[in-house]
Amino acid sequence: MVKLSVVGILAGLDEEALTDVERHINRKNFSAGAQMIEPEADSSDVYLILSGRVRIVNYSLSGREITLEEIGAGGCVGQLSAIDGQPRSACVFAVDDTEVAILSPANFETVVKSHPSVGWNVIRELARIVRTSTRRIVDVSTLGANERVVAEIMRRAQQVSDDTGAAVLSPVPVHSEIAGRVSTSRETVARVMGSLGRKGLVNKVDNGLHVPDVRRLEEFLSESIH
Amino acid sequence: MVKLSVVGILAGLDEEALTDVERHINRKNFSAGAQMIEPEADSSDVYLILSGRVRIVNYSLSGREITLEEIGAGGCVGQLSAIDGQPRSACVFAVDDTEVAILSPANFETVVKSHPSVGWNVIRELARIVRTSTRRIVDVSTLGANERVVAEIMRRAQQVSDDTGAAVLSPVPVHSEIAGRVSTSRETVARVMGSLGRKGLVNKVDNGLHVPDVRRLEEFLSESIH
């Protein structure tokens, strides 16, 4: 049985507190592809991801699907409705087989208010989402689709670049996942990645996508924009 | 002197706790137009807005300005850096003459952790920003600029519509403010508002912008999209 201690927002709780939280959750398993949260359902439960991976998607007024985020083991989804009592803002699907611990909104609020460290963890997690969202709003408001793909690869490379200015994104980013993240089509991502490959800015290696010189990628993007 | 009790995230604190917070803040005044937070500055202070109004803006890689939000008295800005220790994500300007109470990141964390109600208020405020951001990501990813302007007016009207299905947005929304909110130009907003006016979907009245039938506005938007 996966321990609750894998969950990021519960970090800092001692054994006794974790045992107490354990009494207030329901464990549930979802198969890959299953819908875990649907906007229409009248539920405000919080889902703590114990294992597996989930995708949060939203739909435009015209019905187009937009991937907001993918979240793996240790993450948390569904907290917005538990916090503000408003309807679900998005759908959540299991990408892989996924085990979750489900917390009712009342129990979520109790845990947050009884443990200052959990409250602070939730605040940090929401701040992370706000930063990511802000970056995306600015990108999608001001960059073309091709440039957003390059910017996404560039940012991921910047986060893992080594002393020599090279980076390996491992595993190789999935085109459909990048497409969802930057609000474009898989075909556009494939075309841009092909073009970056031909320019020698990225190349596939055994364990991932190799970016030999992150700085050159930054310059390439900067030239495309100005 | 404006009391700290106007600040939303401090709601629920008793007189004694407010007096304690008062000891940890610095009050400061900014004239309309002044820059309050600049990304380059190495500061992580939290600004509690006691009076006035501020605008949060971000810049694209190509230097274009994007308004993220305007926040009035009782609001809070600058909390992200205090929460995660990362650099500022945006600039903040005073729109009107503005008085703020400045809290250091350490004091902010102490206040949040010592008072579960403050922690919960911060969580609610961040959840509000996440919801607004998500809506905007979906809109800007899937709607044209004209449709985003209509969607913005529609959502504001939905929030204040009366029993008859009419709404008055008061004061009249400023074109430049709407433009910033939906990532388009003031000229586009002016053109769309003119068009909505000619169709009788909106009309200016003494105290604001009158939307005689919010449902008709929804139908108009729906027809533009599909």
Side-chain angles (χ1 to χ4, degrees):
Chain A
M1 198 170 76
V2 181
K3 288 199 168 184
L4 280 181
S5 55
V6 303
V7 176
I9 64 164
L10 301 181
L13 291 189
D14 57 23
E15 276 304 318
E16 191 187 338
L18 283 172
T19 308
D20 183 54
V21 176
E22 185 77 53
R23 272 195 291 270
H24 293 96
I25 58 153
N26 288 309
R27 286 168 182 261
K28 197 166 171 182
N29 288 285
F30 292 91
S31 305
Q35 183 163 10
M36 294 166 51
I37 295 181
E38 50 186 42
E40 298 75 21
D42 187 19
S43 138
S44 305
D45 292 333
V46 178
Y47 290 62
L48 310 174
I49 316 293
L50 301 177
S51 69
R53 189 164 189 80
V54 308
R55 179 179 297 143
I56 307 177
V57 305
N58 204 316
Y59 296 92
S60 73
L61 290 170
S62 60
R64 210 178 111 192
E65 184 180 305
I66 305 289
T67 298
L68 294 172
E69 225 176 356
E70 288 203 4
I71 296 190
C76 168
V77 294
Q79 65 271 47
L80 290 190
S81 293
I83 292 166
D84 63 15
Q86 299 292 307
R88 297 294 192 190
S89 64
C91 292
V92 179
F93 296 93
V95 176
D96 303 326
D97 290 350
T98 297
E99 183 184 2
V100 299
I102 302 179
L103 206 51
S104 74
N107 284 330
F108 175 74
E109 186 169 342
T110 302
V111 172
V112 166
K113 288 188 172 170
S114 329
H115 303 284
S117 66
V118 174
W120 190 252
N121 293 338
V122 171
I123 287 173
R124 286 186 67 103
E125 169 63 6
L126 290 170
R128 183 191 67 74
I129 301 173
V130 170
R131 280 202 192 257
T132 311
S133 304
T134 299
R135 191 72 262 158
R136 187 161 170 184
I137 288 170
V138 172
D139 278 1
V140 84
S141 300
T142 60
L143 299 181
N146 291 0
E147 294 148 1
R148 296 201 299 271
V149 175
V150 179
E152 178 72 15
I153 299 294
M154 180 191 80
R155 288 207 187 96
R156 293 187 189 196
Q158 284 169 337
Q159 281 166 15
V160 296
S161 71
D162 62 23
D163 294 348
T164 71
V168 174
L169 306 183
S170 178
V172 177
V174 178
H175 289 180
S176 59
E177 190 248 329
I178 297 199
R181 294 285 285 195
V182 306
S183 307
T184 189
S185 66
R186 207 178 49 201
E187 290 72 20
T188 299
V189 176
R191 202 176 53 240
V192 172
M193 296 303 285
S195 163
L196 292 179
R198 282 189 298 279
K199 292 187 171 68
L201 292 165
V202 304
N203 52 279
K204 276 195 193 157
V205 289
D206 274 357
N207 56 340
L209 186 75
H210 179 229
V211 181
D213 189 344
V214 178
R215 208 182 179 82
R216 265 188 62 212
L217 194 60
E218 294 168 5
E219 286 165 5
F220 172 73
L221 178 62
S222 176
E223 283 161 17
S224 321
I225 294 169
H226 292 287
Chain B
M1 198 170 75
V2 181
K3 289 199 168 183
L4 279 181
S5 55
V6 303
V7 176
I9 64 165
L10 301 181
L13 290 190
D14 58 22
E15 275 304 317
E16 192 187 336
L18 282 173
T19 307
D20 183 53
V21 176
E22 184 77 53
R23 272 195 291 271
H24 294 95
I25 59 153
N26 287 309
R27 286 168 183 260
K28 197 166 171 183
N29 289 286
F30 292 91
S31 305
Q35 183 164 10
M36 295 166 51
I37 295 181
E38 51 187 41
E40 298 75 22
D42 187 21
S43 137
S44 305
D45 292 334
V46 177
Y47 289 63
L48 310 173
I49 317 292
L50 301 176
S51 69
R53 189 162 190 81
V54 308
R55 178 179 298 145
I56 306 176
V57 305
N58 205 316
Y59 296 91
S60 73
L61 290 170
S62 59
R64 209 178 111 193
E65 183 179 307
I66 305 289
T67 297
L68 293 172
E69 224 176 358
E70 287 203 4
I71 296 190
C76 169
V77 294
Q79 66 270 48
L80 290 191
S81 293
I83 292 166
D84 62 17
Q86 299 292 306
R88 296 295 191 189
S89 63
C91 292
V92 179
F93 296 91
V95 176
D96 303 326
D97 289 350
T98 296
E99 184 185 1
V100 299
I102 302 179
L103 206 51
S104 74
N107 285 330
F108 175 73
E109 187 169 343
T110 302
V111 172
V112 165
K113 288 188 171 169
S114 328
H115 302 284
S117 66
V118 174
W120 191 252
N121 293 339
V122 171
I123 287 173
R124 287 186 66 105
E125 168 64 5
L126 290 170
R128 182 190 67 74
I129 300 174
V130 170
R131 280 202 190 259
T132 311
S133 303
T134 299
R135 191 73 264 157
R136 186 161 169 184
I137 288 170
V138 172
D139 279 0
V140 83
S141 300
T142 60
L143 300 180
N146 290 359
E147 294 148 2
R148 296 203 298 273
V149 175
V150 179
E152 177 72 15
I153 299 293
M154 181 191 79
R155 290 208 186 94
R156 293 188 188 194
Q158 284 169 338
Q159 281 166 17
V160 296
S161 72
D162 62 23
D163 294 347
T164 70
V168 174
L169 306 182
S170 178
V172 177
V174 178
H175 289 181
S176 59
E177 191 248 331
I178 296 197
R181 295 284 286 196
V182 307
S183 307
T184 189
S185 66
R186 207 178 49 201
E187 291 72 20
T188 300
V189 175
R191 201 176 54 241
V192 173
M193 297 302 288
S195 164
L196 292 179
R198 283 189 299 278
K199 290 185 172 68
L201 291 166
V202 303
N203 53 279
K204 277 197 191 155
V205 289
D206 273 355
N207 55 340
L209 187 75
H210 179 231
V211 181
D213 189 344
V214 178
R215 210 184 177 82
R216 265 188 63 213
L217 195 59
E218 294 168 6
E219 287 165 4
F220 172 73
L221 178 61
S222 176
E223 283 161 17
S224 320
I225 294 169
H226 294 286

